[in-house]
Amino acid sequence: SDQVELDQEKGLEMRKWVLSGILASEEIYLSHLEALLIPMKPLRAAATTSQPMLTIQQTETIFFKVPELHEIHKDFYDALLPRVQDWGHQQCVGDLFQKLASQLGVYRAFVDNYKVAVETADKCCQANAQFAEISENLKVKSTKDCKDQSAKNSLETLLYKPVDRVTRSTLVLHDLLKHTPSSHQDYALLLDALRISQNFLSSINEEITPRRQSMTVKKGENRQLLRDRFMVELVEGSRKLRHVFLFTDLLLCTKLKKQAAGKGQQYDCKWYIPLADLTFQTIEDCESTPIPLVQDEEIDALKIKISQIKNEIQREKRTTKGPKVIERLRKKLSEQESLLLLMSPNMAFRVANRNGKGFTFLISSDYERAEWREIVREQQKKCELTFSLTSLELQMLTNSCVKLQTVHTIPMTMNKEDDESSGLYGFLNVIVHSASGLKHSLNLYCSLEVDSFGYFVNKAKTRVYRDSTEPNWNEEFEIELEGSQTLRLLCYEKCYNKTKQSKDDGENADKIMAKGQIKLDPQTLQNKDWQRAVIAMNGIEVKLSMKFTSREFSLKRMPSRKQSGVFGVKINVVTKRERSKVPLIVRQCVEEIERRGMDEVGIYRVSGVATDIQALKAAFDSNNRDVSVMMREMDVNAIAGTLKLYFRELPEPLFTDDLYPNFAGGIALSDCVAKESCMLNLLLSVPETNLVTFLFLLDHLKRVAENECINKMSLHNLATVFGPTLLRPSEKDSKISNSSQPISMNDSWSLEVMAQVQVLLYFLQLESIPTPDSKRQSLLFSTEV
């Protein structure tokens, strides 16, 4: 008897549990029906005015039987709630389910009208933009079981809810009967309700089933995942991290739910677009929201934090404090990486559904944008049917993403385990030789991208080779690598239509003809010789040569053996010989850049052709009188590259080896008054020639930054380029030489580079540099250089 009692208690508990679930589900369903009723009333009222949005007939067709369904379920919920709250052995609910089943005729009418309702709604959306806006943004009141319901739902999604409800009505009754003893007076009533429901369902199933199948995937086909990526979505002006899944028939945008303790990963669907309805928007097609740009300083501060946390993790690994500390640091690292991923991309990638509702992603590379477009267009050829998913299907699909996903972590180089390659640090010399396989003569140029801190940056561009099927560039570039693992190459056909050139969203008017990439393999590149490579891409082949110089060697300041030259010779020796205050090479390069390079996009950042730079270097070293004529004919990026190379090859940095540690310490001071005093005193302790040359260069860089809206070079970008060049100590004082891993990342080196950038940025941002004594005063402000 004890066992019987226990079973009864258990059965009673289970019935209550099932009924609580039914109540929660009813509450959500009611909130969906209410969301449909909210626009219905004003639309009906407006139908009799002089400017109706919809006619009475259209309103009645779209919202057919919705008020009746709401009333039926409201009565059912209001009657069931007190009975469940006052639960006991004798409590009956069968009569309520029997009554609900007897009212299924209203559903019959709703289902018969459903197709016409959706078609009418669709036509009204196309005819009336205001109604289309309302249809896409129906607000569902949140319930205690469904906190996220305040999200916007489309009219089409909500109209499918009752159809979906019918197909699931029998499941609920099955569950309840399973836990109701046959002796209970509810049993016969529930059995009767189940019979009515099953008969009703079989009568309309023939109509629902084919519709549901065409709504998911054509018969006999399986939906497959093609690719998934973490991406940044722009939502009402703010950046949101999303996980995007591209299936064979739809694009699904999800958000990772916050994980409850002990629960696995889960996704929330933000929106989906069937591929048959998906279009790509350019900036002309839509009212574009400006992309909120993040200051470079903020991004750099994040990189510094990331490097510092990596350093801490390495330190903790050497101690024996246990895994908890490391786990905490890893979590912190992951948060900073998510932020960096969120803040860094600025290039818009826009998609829209058939109603014209647009969604904007931000990505960091033209290559990636082209890749997404290609794979979607290719897939669109195979799927012409449009469809819409029921809430259940959408939920199942979103749940499946956890198992299907291929990308589990945010795509940052810092996420790699220690034994994995964390990429190359140093300089990569790339010669872009030629392209073959073009079917028509084109004006073609190539652009090179490498990854840095997990996202891609454009680093170099060849000249446009005009009207040829076999362009021969043979141009060499020196590209700085920061933990890079991949080199990407894009071939563009040049568009000479000026009106198309000014795009606000990073959209390139030039057409991508081909693109490809190669992995930068440390084993192959360790070899000091040139490595040949061919990148084959949709019929076009581009020949390259590459040579890598690791950080350990590329950053050595090498004094020149030939003291009669300019490069690698102490700055005071050069100025003494020339009887000048600022070396002639610095003045000539600056003058030429100010003459025709101030509007050049990426001046000082984009690589110049290495052979041109070497030719200019040789001309300056041999004191060639025709150097100014040579410069006029050269690409301005080669002149910028020559100036950077001059400062990089000085045997001692402009800020001197002795003062370098003090500058690094001064920039770290938090008190701004103390910092200014310290930094200015240090600057004025620099030898006279170095100081005058620095101030001359500083003025020039400020003028370059004044044209930032055209050349895209902010003070921060210029500090990033010139900081290490002007401050990096020579070999004997550098911590770099102690690196046991010359080819891979050393985070203290990363921090050192960032400190050098910060020092130069500090001086670039100072409005004026006061001088303490008259001797210096006359020296600094004399115009004769």
Side-chain angles (χ1 to χ4, degrees):
S1 71
D2 284 355
Q3 187 57 46
V4 171
E5 243 177 78
L6 260 173
D7 288 348
Q8 280 181 343
E9 282 301 325
K10 198 173 174 191
L12 190 70
E13 197 55 45
M14 284 305 290
R15 286 187 84 216
K16 185 178 180 184
W17 186 79
V18 171
L19 288 165
S20 299
I22 292 168
L23 277 169
S25 166
E26 281 291 316
E27 198 180 344
I28 293 168
Y29 181 47
L30 279 168
S31 69
H32 287 143
L33 293 172
E34 278 158 18
L36 283 168
L37 290 175
I38 292 166
M40 178 187 162
K41 289 166 189 170
L43 284 167
R44 197 187 266 160
T48 56
T49 63
S50 58
Q51 286 184 306
M53 204 181 293
L54 306 183
T55 65
I56 286 276
Q57 183 60 49
Q58 287 168 331
T59 309
E60 295 300 336
T61 306
I62 294 169
F63 298 98
F64 184 67
K65 294 293 175 192
V66 173
E68 289 85 344
L69 288 175
H70 181 262
E71 195 179 336
I72 290 167
H73 283 271
K74 182 86 173 76
D75 291 348
F76 173 71
Y77 178 83
D78 289 346
L80 182 61
L81 181 65
R83 296 194 195 182
V84 176
Q85 285 170 339
D86 185 26
W87 193 241
H89 278 282
Q90 299 313 311
Q91 188 63 278
C92 293
V93 290
D95 58 317
L96 300 179
F97 283 93
Q98 197 183 35
K99 184 184 173 189
L100 192 63
S102 70
Q103 293 168 306
L104 280 170
V106 180
Y107 276 96
R108 164 89 259 177
F110 182 89
V111 170
D112 286 346
N113 179 71
Y114 172 74
K115 194 176 177 197
V116 187
V118 172
E119 283 168 3
T120 307
D122 208 24
K123 279 178 193 155
C124 293
C125 283
Q126 284 166 15
N128 189 308
Q130 202 179 348
F131 180 66
E133 174 67 22
I134 292 168
S135 303
E136 278 299 315
N137 298 298
L138 294 177
K139 287 221 171 71
V140 176
K141 192 177 78 214
S142 63
T143 63
K144 63 176 183 295
D145 288 280
C146 204
K147 301 281 190 294
D148 296 342
Q149 286 299 316
S150 56
K152 292 164 185 170
N153 286 265
S154 72
L155 177 66
E156 205 174 323
T157 309
L158 291 176
L159 282 175
Y160 196 77
K161 300 289 180 188
V163 182
D164 193 30
R165 193 84 183 165
V166 166
T167 60
R168 290 191 289 160
S169 58
T170 58
L171 300 175
V172 165
L173 289 162
H174 272 297
D175 281 348
L176 206 49
L177 267 165
K178 201 162 54 180
H179 300 294
T180 305
S182 51
S183 56
H184 198 290
Q185 64 191 84
D186 260 356
Y187 194 79
L189 294 167
L190 290 171
L191 211 54
D192 191 41
L194 181 63
R195 181 187 54 76
I196 298 168
S197 298
Q198 280 175 329
N199 288 344
F200 174 74
L201 200 55
S202 59
S203 76
I204 67 161
N205 240 357
E206 292 84 60
E207 298 150 46
I208 291 180
T209 312
R211 189 181 298 134
R212 279 185 81 164
Q213 278 183 342
S214 72
M215 279 179 182
T216 48
V217 187
K218 282 183 289 185
K219 230 173 181 174
E221 281 187 19
N222 285 324
R223 174 177 289 132
Q224 290 172 331
L225 180 68
L226 296 175
R227 62 157 37 191
D228 62 302
R229 291 283 186 278
F230 280 100
M231 286 172 97
V232 177
E233 189 186 5
L234 193 59
V235 184
E236 292 172 357
S238 55
R239 294 163 178 258
K240 305 282 182 190
L241 191 59
R242 301 287 189 237
H243 200 151
V244 180
F245 293 85
L246 176 64
F247 289 93
T248 39
D249 61 336
L250 64 89
L251 184 73
L252 175 70
C253 176
T254 70
K255 165 189 141 185
L256 204 53
K257 277 187 183 176
K258 282 202 165 68
Q259 276 171 274
K263 278 205 171 176
Q265 217 178 27
Q266 276 184 305
Y267 286 102
D268 257 349
C269 167
K270 297 310 290 180
W271 49 266
Y272 74 93
I273 307 176
L275 292 192
D277 295 340
L278 187 143
T279 54
F280 297 111
Q281 288 187 317
T282 60
I283 198 157
E284 287 90 6
D285 302 337
C286 57
E287 292 172 22
S288 110
T289 10
I291 295 166
L293 296 181
V294 179
Q295 290 302 310
D296 294 315
E297 288 87 320
E298 283 182 62
I299 290 177
D300 253 32
L302 271 177
K303 288 183 181 179
I304 290 172
K305 269 187 199 161
I306 286 166
S307 297
Q308 284 168 337
I309 298 167
K310 287 277 285 186
N311 264 352
E312 280 181 61
I313 290 173
Q314 294 311 320
R315 268 202 306 275
E316 289 302 332
K317 281 185 175 170
R318 292 193 286 271
T319 66
T320 50
K321 282 184 186 168
K324 274 194 176 169
V325 183
I326 292 176
E327 201 41 55
R328 198 172 67 243
L329 287 169
R330 280 193 187 284
K331 195 178 169 206
K332 211 162 141 191
L333 181 65
S334 175
E335 285 165 10
Q336 297 302 319
E337 286 171 351
S338 302
L339 265 175
L340 185 59
L341 174 70
L342 205 58
M343 288 158 72
S344 48
N346 290 321
M347 195 179 277
F349 169 52
R350 295 187 167 94
V351 295
N353 64 17
R354 68 179 155 163
N355 296 332
K357 180 167 172 54
F359 303 93
T360 301
F361 291 113
L362 298 179
I363 51 182
S364 60
S365 131
D366 214 3
Y367 189 101
E368 200 181 332
R369 181 164 56 188
E371 213 170 30
W372 275 95
R373 282 179 183 161
E374 274 168 33
I375 193 168
V376 168
R377 280 183 183 133
E378 197 51 47
Q379 197 55 32
Q380 281 179 323
K381 292 173 191 168
K382 302 172 196 170
C383 53
E384 290 130 28
L385 279 184
T386 183
F387 56 86
S388 78
L389 299 178
T390 70
S391 56
L392 189 66
E393 287 164 336
L394 192 55
Q395 188 59 52
M396 285 166 71
L397 178 64
T398 309
N399 290 348
S400 72
C401 290
V402 177
K403 293 191 187 79
L404 292 171
Q405 63 180 4
T406 59
V407 179
H408 296 273
T409 51
I410 287 154
M412 292 289 158
T413 48
M414 290 55 139
N415 260 321
K416 304 281 182 244
E417 287 303 318
D418 302 324
D419 52 355
E420 287 185 61
S421 160
S422 61
L424 299 173
Y425 276 75
F427 286 90
L428 184 72
N429 283 64
V430 181
I431 302 173
V432 181
H433 293 294
S434 59
S436 56
L438 289 166
K439 303 225 172 14
H440 313 285
S441 289
L442 294 174
N443 299 319
L444 205 70
Y445 70 91
C446 293
S447 154
L448 298 170
E449 293 181 352
V450 293
D451 53 316
S452 156
F453 272 80
Y455 57 94
F456 280 83
V457 185
N458 182 282
K459 287 285 190 174
K461 201 164 74 173
T462 68
R463 68 184 185 279
V464 179
Y465 204 95
R466 293 224 176 188
D467 203 20
S468 168
T469 53
E470 293 199 341
N472 262 305
W473 293 282
N474 288 317
E475 290 183 66
E476 185 186 336
F477 303 94
E478 185 178 70
I479 294 171
E480 192 170 358
L481 304 182
E482 284 184 291
S484 308
Q485 295 174 314
T486 307
L487 172 74
R488 285 175 169 177
L489 184 127
L490 294 111
C491 292
Y492 290 92
E493 181 188 4
K494 182 70 182 163
C495 157
Y496 285 104
N497 179 348
K498 286 289 176 210
T499 56
K500 283 192 175 177
Q501 292 295 327
S502 57
K503 299 277 184 133
D504 323 2
D505 66 343
E507 184 82 61
N508 192 339
D510 299 335
K511 186 183 173 192
I512 295 178
M513 300 307 295
K515 59 178 188 23
Q517 58 185 19
I518 38 177
K519 285 276 170 225
L520 298 174
D521 175 33
Q523 289 344 97
T524 319
L525 291 168
Q526 279 282 32
N527 184 332
K528 297 288 181 295
D529 299 330
W530 285 94
Q531 309 291 320
R532 295 297 289 249
V534 176
I535 299 185
M537 36 201 178
N538 44 323
I540 299 173
E541 281 190 350
V542 176
K543 292 191 174 72
L544 304 173
S545 294
M546 295 186 297
K547 184 172 75 172
F548 174 69
T549 315
S550 80
R551 193 179 65 216
E552 185 187 35
F553 301 107
S554 64
L555 296 184
K556 281 183 178 175
R557 290 188 179 272
M558 305 294 283
S560 170
R561 293 198 187 112
K562 188 179 155 201
Q563 287 300 299
S564 60
V566 173
F567 284 78
V569 179
K570 285 183 178 176
I571 194 166
N572 59 339
V573 172
V574 173
T575 50
K576 207 170 185 180
R577 188 199 314 140
E578 293 175 353
R579 295 189 181 147
S580 62
K581 285 178 178 167
V582 171
L584 192 65
I585 181 173
V586 177
R587 277 186 286 154
Q588 285 188 289
C589 289
V590 163
E591 278 163 21
E592 194 58 30
I593 287 164
E594 293 203 352
R595 191 171 72 81
R596 60 189 175 96
M598 301 299 262
D599 291 351
E600 183 74 19
V601 175
I603 186 74
Y604 289 120
R605 182 176 52 77
V606 172
S607 271
V609 178
T611 42
D612 288 354
I613 294 171
Q614 289 307 318
L616 271 178
K617 178 183 174 178
F620 276 114
D621 269 344
S622 60
N623 198 13
N624 187 330
R625 303 207 174 234
D626 296 331
V627 74
S628 51
V629 179
M630 275 176 76
M631 283 169 88
R632 269 189 213 114
E633 290 164 10
M634 264 186 194
D635 175 53
V636 75
N637 287 316
I639 295 160
T642 306
L643 182 62
K644 287 190 295 182
L645 185 68
Y646 168 72
F647 285 116
R648 203 166 83 213
E649 291 197 354
L650 281 175
E652 184 180 48
L654 209 55
F655 281 53
T656 76
D657 286 329
D658 290 344
L659 293 173
Y660 173 69
N662 302 351
F663 277 110
I667 199 67
L669 293 172
S670 48
D671 182 305
C672 51
V673 178
K675 185 193 277 191
E676 185 170 340
S677 164
C678 173
M679 295 297 276
L680 287 174
N681 279 318
L682 282 169
L683 185 63
L684 296 170
S685 315
V686 166
E688 212 165 274
T689 309
N690 301 40
L691 181 62
V692 177
T693 304
F694 172 65
L695 292 174
F696 179 77
L697 180 67
L698 197 69
D699 279 344
H700 163 64
L701 296 179
K702 285 181 178 181
R703 281 193 291 279
V704 171
E706 282 168 10
N707 280 25
E708 184 193 344
C709 56
I710 303 167
N711 62 35
K712 307 292 183 233
M713 292 303 285
S714 62
L715 289 175
H716 186 277
N717 285 343
L718 293 163
T720 305
V721 172
F722 275 96
T725 304
L726 301 181
L727 279 120
R728 193 190 62 255
S730 50
E731 183 68 8
K732 61 182 187 299
D733 290 284
S734 176
K735 299 171 198 170
I736 298 160
S737 55
N738 305 330
S739 166
S740 57
Q741 298 171 290
I743 201 162
S744 68
M745 182 168 186
N746 171 324
D747 283 279
S748 57
W749 175 79
S750 231
L751 291 171
E752 199 175 339
V753 166
M754 286 168 189
Q756 292 157 7
V757 171
Q758 294 301 317
V759 170
L760 179 55
L761 183 62
Y762 183 80
F763 291 120
L764 280 167
Q765 287 173 335
L766 272 186
E767 280 187 28
S768 62
I769 296 178
T771 48
D773 59 51
S774 55
K775 180 187 169 220
R776 281 284 161 105
Q777 192 85 22
S778 60
L779 170 87
L780 293 178
F781 296 101
S782 101
T783 49
E784 181 211 332
V785 287

